Amino acid sequence: MVEIELDGQKVAVQEGSMVMHAAEKAGTYIPHFCYHKKLSIAANCRMCLVDVEKAPKPMPACATPVTQGMIVRTKSDKALKAQQGVMEFLLINHPLDCPICDQGGECQLQDLAVGYGGSKSRYSEEKRVVFHKNVGPLISMEEMSRCIHCTRCVRFGQEIAGQMELGMAHRGEHSEIQTFVGRTVDSELSGNMIDICPVGALTSKPFRYSARTWELSRRKSVSPHDSTGANLIVQVKGSKVMRVVPLENEAVNECWIADRDRFSYESLNGDERLHAPMIKQGGAWKTVDWTTALEYVANGLKLIKAEHGAGKIGALATGHSTVEELHLLAKLVRGLGSQNIDSRQRHADFANVAPAGQAQWLGSSIAALSEVDRAFVIGSFLRKDHPLFAQRLRQAARRGAQILALGASEDDWLMPVAARITAAPSVWLQSLAGVAAAIAATTGAAAPVPAEADDAAKAIAAALLSGQKKALLLGNAAAQHPQAGALLSLANWIAGQTGATVGYLSEAANTVGAQLVGALPQDGGLNAGQMLGDAGLKGLLLLNTDPVLDSANAAAAAKALAAAEMVVVMSPFKSGLEYADVLLPTAPFTETSGSFVNAEGRLQSFVGVVRPLAETRPGWKILRVLGNLLALDGFGQESSEQVRSEALGADTDLSARLNNASSAAVTLTAAAGGVERLAEVPIYASDALVRNAGSLQLTADARNARYATLPQQLWTQLGLDAQGQGARVRITQDGAGAAELPARLDAKLPANVVRVPAGLAETASLGAMFGALTVAKA
């Protein structure tokens, strides 16, 4: 530790720290623009100049290392005059447009100009003009004349997002922050550039000119999308959500959120919102009151139970639903005498489940991902499935961690990948067994299953046998794989031999919570695959899900839904119009109270930030009333807190109920012949909120998802254009319908793998996410 004197106060800080770090520790504010605690030091704004004794001139606090006995004054005349001089230079070219600037009211430059700026400028020449730039549907660069060249946005791209999409061109007063060769900003974390911009140069394009910051109320919430459980501040005007920004929580999302956390709020105010209950009569939709709708549902369920038995009633939900909603849905179905409830619609191996009352989870804290030495990621589209987890692993890689991968594609994760196995999904188990065999050969242990280890498997094994902090992370595709249980068994064996943790990155905000509250079939109940297969269910309750887009087999789901006598859709949106019989408007996360359990098992509760839209009602209240109409016991709860306590108990520490053990047998089979499907769920097709968010659907990620991606061998075999321009292919699967998609080439795909996305209307006629395909030139 080094001790310095700061404004007469003794402060001890780590050797190598800067004066700015000492000031933060002492609670002393030093004005600054370019410094940000999560970014590297640039020292280019000079606003943080301070008076260091014996130094010939003021020194930048952010870039001046502390030395033993250093004496620093931040409020001396020398320091203040230096800071005022810097402010004068910063304001020379800055436009006087505060009254119309979206940053007004939360602008660092505006705040500091009050304390350090002059009342008038001595600069009489013309101010410079920087022309606006179109960088995509999310970020506005309309007023780049406001930019003070702090380069926070540039450094964020390089260091946090992993790609340098913005940079500074030219010199002196001609300097400009811009993309190069006219590109757009396409990172899945790009919205954070808006937050860290200290002036109004980068602003939110969807929010632009819609409200002033002082008109907004700020309320805490939790993201309903991926399993990070990012903490949010939802900003509200009247009863309308206007903007979403991060709430800092170092243990969960630090000070970042993904773009789908930030911009999915657009769907809350969109045209697709369901405003009142509706019943289909004679093929036409009719708006009704709540009493009529709920009595219709209750009578329909009673009739189906009387005529066909309770076993012909089932419920499907998503992990984007709250703990409270899932608990009451499970309770309702079981109260009717059925065990047919599931929230794992995209899964194929339903035997891969934790013991009753327990849940599969991340295997460590989220914060630990930033500190690993080795991370072996199995079956994941990491960047798009889990943007904030990818960001943490990126930081670990910057510190020297080795990232290892097993998957069917070589997507750019924007971090170095030390070793990678790229194989068709049908041979993932065999490939993982090869890693286990390489470890066994080194340690002398008995391999769990005989397998050959190639060079890539040996490299991964060697990496896992070195280092201190290690993690095996199974992604969404590994959880959805037909051999998911065997993959987990092998991962557990490898973790046991190498001292690593093992866990699931987890698909949705409440995947862990859904398991804990029993939103899974028990005692012989039907799983999601069976309910959406040939089980012949007569009554289906759907909570926050459209199974045609959210299940592992879209074609089978559509067929099963069409055959049911009554399908009840509980959703904030007009979804399932072609197969539903009743639509019940269910409140999204901003209009209800509830809880999510994130990947690390952290229970996070939130309250509604606005009143429910029109006739929308919280899902837990709808289910409670429905339970009463069905004369079921245990539906007298008065608050969501009561429901949560009933679902999870009074103890909010859930760590004792997290379990990644697996008893699944590992049996290697021959690789599947023919062409296989690799099905990702695109980042902006993962749930109903993002699917209905207009700006997110205009992004490059949304546009680029609607392609079939072919390997070189198949591309050549079909005689597609060598330049890859305008090619289209026709895809058929499982004897189901066909999809015609534009094609593109990926020479790194395995020779027998075609990448066809799931969760899109364009591919909803196809079958299983893992399975054989037939591809022909359209």
Side-chain angles (χ1 to χ4, degrees), residues 636-689:
Q637 301 88 349
E638 293 296 325
S639 67
S640 62
E641 289 79 11
Q642 272 186 272
V643 183
R644 185 187 68 225
S645 295
E646 182 182 292
L648 295 175
D651 187 4
T652 58
D653 180 6
L654 305 175
S655 55
R657 299 170 61 182
L658 305 174
N659 186 346
N660 287 327
S662 174
S663 58
V666 180
T667 306
L668 301 186
T669 56
V675 177
E676 290 183 46
R677 180 180 183 182
L678 172 65
E680 66 184 304
V681 178
I683 184 170
Y684 301 135
S686 58
D687 60 75
L689 281 172

Side-chain angles (χ1 to χ4, degrees), residues 540-555:
L540 270 167
L541 300 169
L542 307 180
L543 176 62
N544 295 323
T545 181
D546 180 348
V548 176
L549 299 177
D550 294 333
S551 68
N553 191 321

Side-chain angles (χ1 to χ4, degrees), residues 380-385 407-413 420 422 424-425 428 477 675-683 701 704-712 714-715 729 731 733 739 741-758 760 763 766 768-769 771 773 775:
S380 177
F381 301 97
L382 180 66
R383 254 184 74 198
K384 305 304 179 184
D385 287 348
S409 66
E410 294 191 19
D411 290 351
D412 186 359
W413 291 349
R420 185 193 294 270
T422 305
W428 283 357
V675 177
E676 290 183 46
R677 180 180 183 182
L678 172 65
E680 66 184 304
V681 178
I683 184 170
D701 273 331
N704 292 335
R706 290 163 165 79
Y707 282 82
T709 309
L710 278 63
Q712 181 69 65
L714 185 58
W715 188 273
V729 291
I731 297 166
Q733 185 183 16
L741 295 170
R744 63 183 172 193
L745 173 66
D746 182 354
K748 293 183 178 180
L749 275 178
N752 62 328
V753 171
V754 174
R755 189 167 172 169
V756 182
L760 299 174
T763 58
L766 298 177
M769 291 172 66
L773 287 175
V775 184

Side-chain angles (χ1 to χ4, degrees), residues 159-178:
E159 299 163 18
I160 307 299
Q163 56 189 143
M164 185 176 174
E165 295 182 291
L166 293 176
M168 191 186 295
H170 315 306
R171 300 186 70 180
E173 75 161 10
H174 301 294
S175 298
E176 289 186 33
I177 298 291
Q178 61 182 45

Side-chain angles (χ1 to χ4, degrees), residues 20 62 93 129 145 287 427 501 513 624 635 675 759 761:
M20 184 71 84
C62 68
N93 275 311
V129 174
S145 298
T287 300
V427 294
T501 62
R624 183 199 64 190
F635 283 86
V675 177

